[in-house]
Amino acid sequence: MTNATRFLGTATVLVAAATFAKGASGPDGERWWSHVAVLADDKLEGRNTGGEGHRKAALYVAGQFQKLGLEPAGTAGYLQPVMFKSKQIDEARSSLVLVSKNGEEPLTLGDDAIIGSRIDPAPALEADLVFAGYGLANSEAGHDDFQGLDVRGKLVVCLMGAPASIAGSLAAHMQSGGERGDLLRKLGAAGIVMIPNPKNMDIPWARSSLARFMPSMGLVDPMMDDTRGLLLGVTVNPARAEKLFAGSGHAFLEILQAAQAGKPLPRFALGKRLKATVAVKRAQLESQNVVAILPGSDPELKGEYVVMSAHLDHLGIGEPIKGDAIYNGAMDNASGVAALLDVAAILKESGARPRRSILFLAVTGEEKGLLGSRFFADAPTVDRKAIVADVNVDMFLPLYPLKRLTIYGLGESDLGDQVAAVATELGVAPDPDPEPKRNIFIRSDQYSFIRRGIPSIALKVGFASGSPEAAVQKRWLTERYHAPSDDLKQPVDKPAAGAFDVLVAKLLERVANGAERPHWKDSSFFKRFAE
Ligand SMILES: [Zn+2]
């Protein structure tokens, strides 16, 4: 109770939260941390999708679900096996060469550019390069980077990001893999060459380029592959991008300045071709989602499900940084799965009997492109129409006390209003996404549910812009995000995590008890996906 008092602050709130206090170690965060400590241990080897460490982690989660007395809701007990194909670029047998009238200029793989394997690359390709602004088109946004441009059989070069004039959620959706894939296929493009905007890079190039040594994965079912039909995907180091523009009459710097000033980006042929030779190592493997249900109490509504999801996978073992090759993913996202287990325990202990059922879902393949959640949303183990909401927790960063809550998707559905109400009740200030440009709302597993029309939300411990907390999270992203140092040795705020779990438990209970299922707002872009 003392820790609860510290978090909740006011007496009235204590009464409201009383059902969660009984015997729960929740608010001090120790139980949460005990799960993180297991899942982010070196023994689990970074929980790579398809790896033995992930399998052990899945079995741990299943075991915890069982201990809590939740019902198994996978296709094999608590597990839902998912089949993946893995692809890894064999750099020693691959090359990229810029071809212009002045001759050939080889690009150094890793330093100048990297060949992506998410788009299944053709063994050999030579195609014209065309710069097409942000590479986006959407009539609703009144934006078309391809107007008057013929990109059939060509490689579309673009700056990552979207014009500031387009609303956050629409811009985020336009940049999603599914939308990009559909657009490029429709235009007949051979592939895409992306240049990150240094201003929006979460991870410095030197570190992000190391990820190319890890295999990418896709779902075996081709209809679940957003990039089908494309032949090449390349990412260019922005610090080396002028090579592409030399001789075109334009400079990359000019593009960046135009983007910074919110001016339209030019569209032009680069007057060069890119010649790619790509060797790929392929394999098939299985990895598991883990699914459990806390059954509802209402005879009718128990057939509806409020989902809480969190991804279990991380990056596995990769290139060593400072002598450490295990990418433990303690915050990304052992923390979220630990929250899922803690929330389930809090609800169990509270004796609450919500009317709708609550479905706890730990998914695989998030780091490979939201694949485990995509598989679940496309082939759910319960009737999809009966899934009323998804509350996703990914890297919620309890690095400082929970005074604010960042709600991704706050304005999109009445689920947002419900989170805001629960947060306010607990003395926590609800905030919209402070950095809409980073596309968080479509960058984690909630997007798999959004695409299926299901109102969704993602939550993190919030911060006020310009505050010391903002600096802490910024530094965390630069130094630890997708690095081996996201491990058990980092400082975390356990009571913040415990308080966060109480908040999520209250939210799930509230949604599960709601008279109506959540719905998208009429103004929401995402409403169109609702069946
Ligand atoms: Zn991640």
Side-chain angles (χ1 to χ4, degrees), residues 311 313-315 332-333 366-367 394-395 481-482 486:
H311 76 87
D313 65 299
H314 190 59
L315 302 170
D332 183 14
N333 182 37
E366 191 274 348
E367 302 288 1
D394 183 4
M395 219 171 84
Y481 176 52
H482 284 194
D486 177 14

Side-chain angles (χ1 to χ4, degrees), residues 366-380:
E366 191 274 348
E367 302 288 1
K368 312 299 181 190
L370 315 183
L371 298 177
S373 60
R374 170 78 181 264
F375 187 83
F376 183 86
D378 284 7

